[in-house]
Amino acid sequence: MATDENGEGKAKGGLAGIVTSVVLRIVASIRSLYDGSAPWLMLVDMRKFGCPDSVGEGLHRFRRNSKDFGYNYCLLLLAVSVGCVFMRPFSLFVIACLLMLWAYIFYVRADEYKFRGVTLTLRAQGLLLAIFSAFIVFVATDVNTVLMGGLTGGGLLCVGHAVTCTPEPQPEDSEKGLIGGFADFVSSSMSSNAAALEKVSDMIPTKWSLQMDGLFGKVGLNLWG
């Protein structure tokens, strides 16, 4: 009995520890985005706004502004999405429960599970959890609608700003991929979470992983470090 109680206490302590770790990583990531963002007054300088003369100019503005204000756009998109979720407390509760479930399976317990003589590997558990999460988000609740609304609204706002704002006359850096420093931020964040990404990558077939590496490699991102 003592062993069970100690094991249960360890599990609870591990769960509290992983929650704290996840929260601290989220705060650190947001702080990194804020530290790398451009001065916010530059985004609202009305003297720089105007319709592009052609589609080519619009694409050029989008590329340049995405590189210059990539961090700002990400923070804005995050703020709009979080605002939409907080307007629906039930959606926030569902997302929090799913995140806790994923954290418990992959970080707290992180082991095979035996059910009626059938051994489920960590990869099999991840696939089942992905199916369950998709069912909860897309079918059983309206979380999908809330998230898509926030992402769509924030995305349109960022794209509209990128296209209508005249970029600063600075030489382009061709070594930073499609969206410049923001791509570097994503790559460094993924590298710092290599252990977690390795567990996720174990659930993805090798063929799909190679295709994803090739796709994201075109914009300067390295998913698996």
Side-chain angles (χ1 to χ4, degrees):
M1 180 65 66
T3 302
D4 295 339
E5 292 177 354
N6 292 336
E8 184 179 357
K10 182 179 180 181
K12 290 183 179 179
L15 184 59
I18 196 61
V19 171
T20 303
S21 177
V22 169
V23 171
L24 290 178
R25 288 187 180 185
I26 292 175
V27 172
S29 297
I30 295 177
R31 182 57 186 268
S32 298
L33 283 174
Y34 181 80
D35 292 340
S37 61
W40 288 92
L41 291 179
M42 295 178 61
L43 274 73
V44 294
D45 189 353
M46 300 303 298
R47 296 171 299 178
K48 297 182 179 180
F49 286 94
C51 294
D53 296 331
S54 63
V55 175
E57 182 182 354
L59 293 176
H60 173 72
R61 289 185 180 184
F62 176 79
R63 183 176 183 274
R64 281 295 311 278
N65 287 326
S66 295
K67 181 168 61 177
D68 295 338
F69 303 118
Y71 295 92
N72 303 75
Y73 291 156
C74 184
L75 287 171
L76 183 60
L77 185 63
L78 180 63
V80 174
S81 301
V82 170
C84 291
V85 172
F86 271 96
M87 291 177 63
R88 301 291 296 272
F90 177 73
S91 299
L92 181 64
F93 175 76
V94 171
I95 294 175
C97 289
L98 290 176
L99 290 177
M100 292 294 295
L101 183 59
W102 277 87
Y104 174 77
I105 291 201
F106 283 99
Y107 291 96
V108 179
R109 193 165 55 81
D111 197 1
E112 296 180 347
Y113 179 75
K114 293 183 178 181
F115 179 75
R116 294 185 178 181
V118 179
T119 301
L120 296 176
T121 63
L122 198 60
R123 177 176 181 175
Q125 295 176 51
L127 291 175
L128 292 176
L129 188 57
I131 295 174
F132 174 75
S133 301
F135 174 78
I136 294 297
V137 171
F138 293 98
V139 179
T141 64
D142 62 346
V143 175
N144 176 50
T145 304
V146 176
L147 288 178
M148 290 303 298
L151 292 174
T152 302
L156 290 176
L157 182 62
C158 293
V159 171
H161 181 277
V163 172
T164 57
C165 181
T166 303
E168 293 291 335
Q170 298 176 352
E172 298 187 21
D173 187 353
S174 59
E175 298 179 356
K176 289 188 176 182
L178 180 62
I179 49 179
F182 181 59
D184 296 338
F185 167 79
V186 176
S187 297
S188 61
S189 298
M190 290 180 173
S191 298
S192 64
N193 295 276
L197 288 172
E198 184 177 357
K199 293 181 179 180
V200 175
S201 64
D202 288 340
M203 299 186 303
I204 303 176
T206 304
K207 182 179 179 180
W208 295 3
S209 298
L210 294 175
Q211 293 177 350
M212 293 171 64
D213 287 340
L215 176 62
F216 286 94
K218 294 180 180 179
V219 295
L221 298 180
N222 184 5
L223 285 180
W224 315 119

